[in-house]
Amino acid sequence: MRAAVGDQIVVHGHTTGHGDRRGEIVEVRGSGGEPPYLVRFDDGHTGLVFPGPDAVVVPASRGS
């Protein structure tokens, strides 16, 4: 998995009633875009994320 600052990360919920969590990657701490990522989630919480198989990176649209 590779990401850049400004990309979105979606972590899919594991159980019924727990929806997906979405956040913006504000810092990439691994080399070459690899995890871990510092993520600011939609609820305002910021945390260090080591994404598992339930996570998807959605690239930010980059202007030319």
Side-chain angles (χ1 to χ4, degrees):
M1 177 175 291
R2 296 195 191 290
V5 172
D7 289 350
Q8 297 285 311
I9 189 163
V10 179
V11 181
H12 298 291
H14 291 286
T15 58
T16 303
H18 291 111
D20 295 348
R21 294 184 65 200
R22 179 178 287 270
E24 179 183 358
I25 296 173
V26 295
E27 185 179 335
V28 177
R29 295 202 177 167
S31 62
E34 295 181 0
Y37 308 124
L38 188 64
V39 176
R40 182 175 46 245
F41 289 97
D42 289 345
D43 65 1
H45 167 252
T46 300
L48 193 60
V49 175
F50 293 82
D54 57 343
V56 177
V57 171
V58 180
S61 47
R62 310 235 194 300
S64 353

